[in-house]
Amino acid sequence: MPHPLLCDSNTATKVSLIASVICSTNTARSCIGPCSISDMGLKLSKRASGGNGPRQTWDRLKHRATNAYGQRAQERVLEEEAPQVSQIAPSLKNFPGQAFPLGVSEVDNGINFAIFSQHATAVKLCLLLPDRGSERLDDEMMELTLNPHVNKTGDIWHICIEDLPRSNVLYGYRIDGPRGWHQGHRFDSSLVLIDPYAKLVEGRRYFGDVNNKFSRFLGTYDFDIIPFDWGENYKLPNISEKDLVLYEMNVRAYTVDESSGLDPKIRGSYLGVIEKIPHLQELGINAVELLPVFEFDELEFQRRPNPRDHLINTWGYSTINFFAPMSRYASDGGGPINASLEFKEMVKALHGAGIEVILDVVYNHTNEADDAKPYTTSFRGIDNKVYYMLDVNNNCQLLNFSGCGNTFNCNHPVVMELILDSLRHWVVEYHVDGFRFDLTSVLCRGTDGSPLNAPPLIRAIAKDAVLSRCKIIAEPWDCAGLYLVGRFPNWDRWAEWNGKYRDDIRRFIKGERGMKGSFATRVAGSSDLYKVNKRKPYHGVNFVIAHDGFTLHDLVSYNLKHNDANGEGGNDGSNDNFSWNCGFEGETDDPKIISLRSRQMKNFHLVLMISQGTPMMLMGDEYGHTRYGNNNSYGHDTSINHFQWGQLDAQKSNHFRFFSEVIKFRRTHRLFQRESFLSKDDVTWHEDNWENYDSKFLAFTLHDKGGGDIYLAFNAHDYFVRVSLPRPPIKRSWFRVADTNLESPNDFVPDGVPDIGSTYNVAPYSSILLEAKL
């Protein structure tokens, strides 16, 4: 159920105060501190019970509330309901406050609120206080009008309130200003807006709860929570980039399915991830890349009738706030405080298992959509002209480089500092190990949308002291054609999703002609893209599959996307998938096609894990998850996206075993974890006809100074290719480790199979790995 202060009510209260007393400037404390833990993996924080100042204050307010009236507000179906207010004037002692830090902070004289708005002409702080008396006052609202002559420093509005409760207060802002759309303003004082610096956000309590689809979102804080216990022996994994094996996953989808076997209260939660860490360890990965975990509204598509109003946003690429963890990933509707605590528990447990945590972050746009059908919750109503890129030549309409209706104005100084503060918060408060930035090319655009050669934000992230230990990974393109793969401004720090690796590997393995040279370049670490200045092979994040696009199973089962269920007429999702259905579109019982598809999936996985660079795989590919040809499944909170634990169990001795063994083989062989690009002494290409357009076979040997050479061959022809094997190093012989044409467990034998002779017959659409051993 939603937080009681967010429910509809019959009563609302308005207080209009103008601050006039000077507040002493005091050192502020962060609005969310570390928490602790107990039963079910959770130890709920103990609230401060000493003293009754906050309660006395609230009781005093209640006794003075003589003019309260009760007129139930009608629910607004198409627009978010604004809290109703009545006229009461309690005595609430307050001070002008201080401009920094932004957001909510605790100072000696009370609770300080500070918000930036350059173009606002009027700001009201709106408060929903907890009911601590005998009467029901769940939704009573106070409004405190900030005097621009007293409560404003530069472009920052601020106020300090004495004796405000230290927790369980919800807050937002009403902001007014110029109404000229042609000037870029979108002020609407009827809306209560979320503080961009709110560290916690309260909304509906349960994911996908359609009974509360119009629940509003408000900031909250808790200064009563005790420090989180990271443990005496806790330490960060600090895994070298060259050693990373990334696993892209969705927190909710990982355990929400009934097949997970978890208690329904923790399915789809941060705690659910903890319960399933043993699977990650068995698979062998050492870093998870979590799809967005910042607060988002999963029911945003259902706010008005439209072709997509049956969808639930399960991916989360629609950020409401950049500081608050997704509250509905807390267990059993626990809300934002428990979400914060349980997120820390998840990070702590993953780190204890030697697994790093990398967040997929979305700073290129927000949930607030476009000018045609806006969903104003924060930035748009606070200062649209600052927070978003505008087309000054088209009535100051929102520019759309993100494909989602708006584009965050990332290189504006104020917005840039907001992003940096957000990143630092996740590193300091939650101990995350790095970030993958969605559509990072947007972050390389100036305030007018034009590309920048040296984007200030990109440089600041690379040079920031707090972020210096973090992995920073770019998705180096956007939805307006700014494709920067291999050209991303990097300061020798940024890694990149290597989109060219994905495309070239897919095209070669499926059997396209003329791809052998490109395939070799990608396997060798894409030196054509990354061998510049001090960049390393691991700055290229290699992937065949990611969350957007086909799963690995679907890549070998569908020639075409099948996205009708998305409500966009099949116009969404990429058309350039470089997929091959192996002879039949979709699911089939034909054993020959099933066998070919299995080989192809193993071929893709093997080449990914032996390539120079940082490999990344997608959750579910380890058992062959299918989305039935949907290559853009962002809106389906169903088995299309949910991890199917029963299918994993069925594949444990076959498909999963191969995937796991290959990952572990990579991690134990330094030939695949190089810090420098391959030289002629490091690799021998067994190829003397690179210009043969029809050749779909490639073999090469990686040389080890200790004699443990590795021979690899990939055959994308539809016929056998018999090859003469090179002579192994002195006193060694070739052992067959992998042959994707063989059935499990012979398809991968970690210790190798000896006596394979001087030639090898490589089957159609298969690959082999041989190791030189004593």
Side-chain angles (χ1 to χ4, degrees), residues 164-365:
L164 200 64
R166 302 177 73 241
S167 62
N168 206 28
V169 174
L170 306 184
Y171 76 99
Y173 292 91
R174 293 187 190 274
I175 298 182
D176 207 352
R179 298 302 176 96
W181 274 45
H182 65 284
Q183 295 176 328
H185 303 302
R186 304 293 187 269
F187 290 106
D188 183 348
S189 60
S190 72
L191 301 176
V192 176
L193 305 169
I194 304 168
D195 177 6
Y197 273 82
K199 304 305 188 298
L200 298 170
V201 172
E202 179 74 76
R204 73 181 69 85
R205 285 296 182 95
Y206 290 93
F207 193 94
D209 179 9
V210 295
N211 292 322
N212 287 288
K213 69 170 63 176
F214 299 108
S215 170
R216 60 181 176 265
F217 295 85
L218 295 171
T220 188
Y221 60 83
D222 192 331
F223 295 112
D224 287 331
I225 52 180
I226 61 178
F228 181 78
D229 182 10
W230 289 96
E232 290 184 9
N233 299 319
Y234 169 80
K235 62 180 181 179
L236 298 168
N238 285 326
I239 300 170
S240 171
E241 285 184 86
K242 69 180 180 62
D243 298 326
L244 283 181
V245 178
L246 295 168
Y247 183 80
E248 190 186 31
M249 63 177 288
N250 179 292
V251 167
R252 175 172 170 80
Y254 187 51
T255 66
V256 71
D257 195 83
E258 184 179 359
S259 64
S260 69
L262 299 183
D263 185 323
K265 294 181 179 180
I266 68 169
R267 290 179 196 159
S269 71
Y270 301 122
L271 295 185
V273 173
I274 296 175
E275 294 296 316
K276 293 296 186 178
I277 287 176
H279 168 68
L280 303 176
Q281 293 174 301
E282 185 180 5
L283 180 59
I285 58 91
N286 59 13
V288 292
E289 186 175 299
L290 302 180
L291 265 64
V293 293
F294 295 2
E295 186 72 27
F296 64 92
D297 182 2
E298 72 278 11
L299 296 179
E300 62 182 359
F301 304 127
Q302 301 188 21
R303 297 182 54 76
R304 54 172 59 86
N306 70 90
R308 297 191 295 165
D309 59 13
H310 61 293
L311 299 181
I312 296 177
N313 187 343
T314 60
W315 286 0
Y317 290 86
S318 195
T319 309
I320 280 180
N321 174 277
F322 296 114
F323 293 84
M326 177 57 172
S327 60
R328 285 167 299 291
Y329 288 171
S331 62
D332 197 26
I337 300 297
N338 285 333
S340 172
L341 185 153
E342 293 174 13
F343 187 96
K344 293 173 184 176
E345 279 300 314
M346 178 188 69
V347 173
K348 177 181 175 180
L350 287 165
H351 283 176
I355 298 172
E356 291 198 335
V357 179
I358 295 172
L359 304 185
D360 191 336
V361 292
V362 187
Y363 293 108
N364 62 82
H365 74 282

Side-chain angles (χ1 to χ4, degrees), residues 634-668:
Y634 64 92
H636 298 280
D637 191 31
T638 67
S639 60
I640 287 179
N641 283 314
H642 297 167
F643 195 98
Q644 299 298 297
W645 293 91
Q647 293 181 29
L648 172 67
D649 291 340
Q651 291 290 340
K652 269 297 181 72
S653 62
N654 187 356
H655 185 98
F656 174 81
R657 176 189 171 276
F658 181 89
F659 273 53
S660 175
E661 293 292 354
V662 172
I663 292 172
K664 293 168 184 174
F665 190 84
R666 174 189 174 86
R667 291 186 59 188
T668 55

Side-chain angles (χ1 to χ4, degrees), residues 96-209:
Q98 58 194 54
F100 293 100
L102 292 170
V104 181
S105 56
E106 187 176 41
V107 296
D108 289 345
N109 285 6
I111 306 297
N112 191 79
F113 298 82
I115 188 170
F116 166 90
S117 182
Q118 178 182 348
H119 297 101
T121 57
V123 174
K124 296 179 180 180
L125 173 65
C126 306
L127 300 172
L128 294 176
L129 303 185
D131 176 18
R132 307 201 178 185
S134 59
E135 302 176 12
R136 176 178 171 80
L137 296 171
D138 284 345
D139 206 10
E140 297 205 354
M141 170 161 277
M142 294 183 170
E143 287 194 359
L144 294 89
T145 300
L146 276 62
N147 185 336
H149 302 294
V150 177
N151 300 102
K152 187 181 180 187
T153 302
D155 295 326
I156 298 176
W157 302 70
H158 46 80
I159 188 171
C160 178
I161 305 173
E162 187 178 65
D163 288 335
L164 200 64
R166 302 177 73 241
S167 62
N168 206 28
V169 174
L170 306 184
Y171 76 99
Y173 292 91
R174 293 187 190 274
I175 298 182
D176 207 352
R179 298 302 176 96
W181 274 45
H182 65 284
Q183 295 176 328
H185 303 302
R186 304 293 187 269
F187 290 106
D188 183 348
S189 60
S190 72
L191 301 176
V192 176
L193 305 169
I194 304 168
D195 177 6
Y197 273 82
K199 304 305 188 298
L200 298 170
V201 172
E202 179 74 76
R204 73 181 69 85
R205 285 296 182 95
Y206 290 93
F207 193 94
D209 179 9

Side-chain angles (χ1 to χ4, degrees), residues 543-680:
F543 67 103
V544 177
I545 303 297
H547 67 277
D548 49 350
F550 283 142
T551 65
L552 187 58
H553 172 278
D554 292 357
L555 184 68
V556 300
S557 304
Y558 294 90
N559 286 346
L560 305 172
K561 65 184 182 183
H562 296 264
N563 294 1
D564 291 342
N566 298 349
E568 299 189 48
N571 294 316
D572 64 306
S574 175
N575 295 315
D576 301 322
N577 297 292
F578 304 116
S579 60
W580 177 43
N581 64 19
C582 297
F584 185 85
E585 186 75 359
E587 306 309 303
T588 179
D589 295 328
D590 188 321
K592 291 184 178 179
I593 293 178
I594 292 174
S595 176
L596 176 56
R597 289 175 176 176
S598 176
R599 291 204 306 276
Q600 288 290 75
M601 285 191 283
K602 289 189 285 188
N603 291 334
F604 278 121
H605 187 64
L606 181 63
V607 69
L608 175 65
M609 291 299 159
I610 62 88
S611 295
Q612 303 299 320
T614 301
M616 183 189 77
M617 65 173 290
L618 176 66
M619 177 186 84
D621 282 348
E622 66 266 38
Y623 66 80
H625 183 83
T626 180
R627 295 175 183 158
Y628 304 98
N630 192 325
N631 74 350
N632 193 29
S633 63
Y634 64 92
H636 298 280
D637 191 31
T638 67
S639 60
I640 287 179
N641 283 314
H642 297 167
F643 195 98
Q644 299 298 297
W645 293 91
Q647 293 181 29
L648 172 67
D649 291 340
Q651 291 290 340
K652 269 297 181 72
S653 62
N654 187 356
H655 185 98
F656 174 81
R657 176 189 171 276
F658 181 89
F659 273 53
S660 175
E661 293 292 354
V662 172
I663 292 172
K664 293 168 184 174
F665 190 84
R666 174 189 174 86
R667 291 186 59 188
T668 55
H669 288 73
R670 63 179 182 271
L671 286 179
F672 308 124
Q673 303 164 27
R674 299 180 57 87
E675 292 196 32
S676 59
F677 289 94
L678 296 175
S679 69
K680 63 180 180 180

